[in-house]
Amino acid sequence: MALLPAPSYAQTAGGRAAGEVASAPMSAIDWLSDSISTPAVVSPQINTENPVAQSASVADVSVGPLGSQTTDAIGLLPPSVTGFSRDLWGASRPDDLAHRILSMPLDLMPSMQSLLTRLLLAELNPPRGANTTDDRLFLARVDRLLATGALDQADALIARSGAQTPASFRRGFDTALLLGEEDIPCQRLSAAPDLSPTFPARIFCLARAGDWDAAVLSLGTGRALGYVSQADDDLLSRFLDPDVFEGDPQLTKPLHPTPLTFRMFEAIGEHIPTTGLPLAFAQADLRANIGWKARVEAGERLVRMGAVSDNQIYGLYSERKPAASGGIWDRMAAVQAMDKALQAKDRQTVSALLPDLWTRLEEAELEMPFSRIFGPELAALDLEGVAAQIAFQMGLLSDQYEEIAKKTAPDASAKSLVLRAIALGDIQLGDIKNVRPYDAASTAVLEGFATPNIPIRLQSLMDQDRLGEAILRAIALYSNGVFGDYDELSDAIAFFRHIGLENVARQAALEFLILERRG
């Protein structure tokens, strides 16, 4: 079956929220706020001789969508964009797909991250056997996006689902908090009787709506009933009336904050640095009220995962002149100097700057975004020597790799010839005689291109009508191959070519040989 090529978290500090039962798939995230409370239905303790409730608490109820379409069918990209058949999941089990998605390593190579994201956002028919109340595959897709910091995409998926279950609402609530758009889920909390917010979430939303008296009353009630921890009590008290605590020592910042805790600390003027936090928190540092260096650092973390665009990181780098030297400042200065030289078409300056720029990009693993930005221009300058080799490789890492490869390679080295042949697809199945490998890594790549059949370990999934699952398996194989299991890398490349993902196969091979991320 050929595929058309396409254009180019949940255990909280207080434990797993009720309603997310043990049979749910493992989660890729462990930082969700405990915003919704849906424990098992309980009955108030009634004294039959004196029929008065013995508890002031309100019994929570479990809720679920009735007669809804399975969320597994929800996506953002139609088949005309992804190139995938709607029946891609075929006979796979939702559990198996969810497990493969959530067990995927975070540090995927760019081509694999892009392919996985395309799968996560695709509009696909649910796998056969899925039912309308089973959202584990949908939640796995959302969790993977959240784990890589792709909050906008996760938010869009959740919005299309209607966030009808507590599990999906919790993810939507926290995504909104990190994007600074919490008013929307807070409004829904107040208007949806089927959602039972925990006291911290209820108090936060009442305050956001300007109902400070109700928020203070709720805090007092939660404190009296034992529903608010001491840490939450201290934070909420300052959040509601910071003037009372003016001059007091700052609160101890949690090592593993939830988005709700993170936002309340920010509200009381005690910002928690996001550097050591999960990637999703870095999105909060992209807002205009955050300092430039922190925004650039957040942008770098996210662009490595494909969670922000090349233009976003380029815009951040170009915003102003570096204020100091060393580390990120030197990197920004190198990018700005190259940009200026390219605008002036100053070949001599470009040649002098390029080796240093490439070294700095390699150190930060930012070769891909800036190769896509600068690669085509650099390749068109007809440079010489080391600069020409770097420009050629940056061009091959860009979206225009095939057009750039049609020009003569910068030299007759074995590596340049292999890279050019891969970019052109100039390797026939079963025949690698037209190019010679230069090391074990290039041998593995060329063998993948020359393999005449779908590898056996992936053919079995194909025979069972589990093509989408086979693609997930191939992504994992490629990732293992990058770190030394070359047989698996060869199989992944061969598989992508045989099912019509030629562009993916070529980009994956070029990235492997050029970026050299091998542990």
Side-chain angles (χ1 to χ4, degrees), residues 311-335:
N311 284 335
Q312 283 177 279
I313 192 64
Y314 176 66
L316 287 169
Y317 265 55
S318 307
E319 192 171 298
R320 63 189 77 168
K321 288 188 176 182
S325 61
I328 193 171
W329 302 112
D330 288 346
R331 194 155 54 248
M332 288 189 285
V335 167

Side-chain angles (χ1 to χ4, degrees), residues 9 26-29 31 97-98 100-109 112-114 116-117 120 136-151 153-154 157 171 279-280 305 307 472 475 479:
Y9 12 131
M26 65 176 184
S27 177
I29 45 179
W31 41 261
L97 294 170
R100 289 191 185 276
I101 289 170
L102 294 179
S103 61
M104 202 76 71
L106 279 181
D107 56 344
L108 295 177
M109 295 287 269
M112 296 297 102
Q113 183 61 55
S114 177
L116 180 58
T117 299
L120 300 180
R136 65 193 62 210
L137 175 55
F138 174 76
L139 292 178
R141 292 160 60 200
V142 170
D143 280 0
R144 174 66 193 196
L145 292 169
L146 293 176
T148 58
L151 298 192
Q153 296 93 322
L157 273 183
R171 287 156 173 78
L279 270 168
M305 308 299 295
L472 293 172
I475 294 173
S479 299

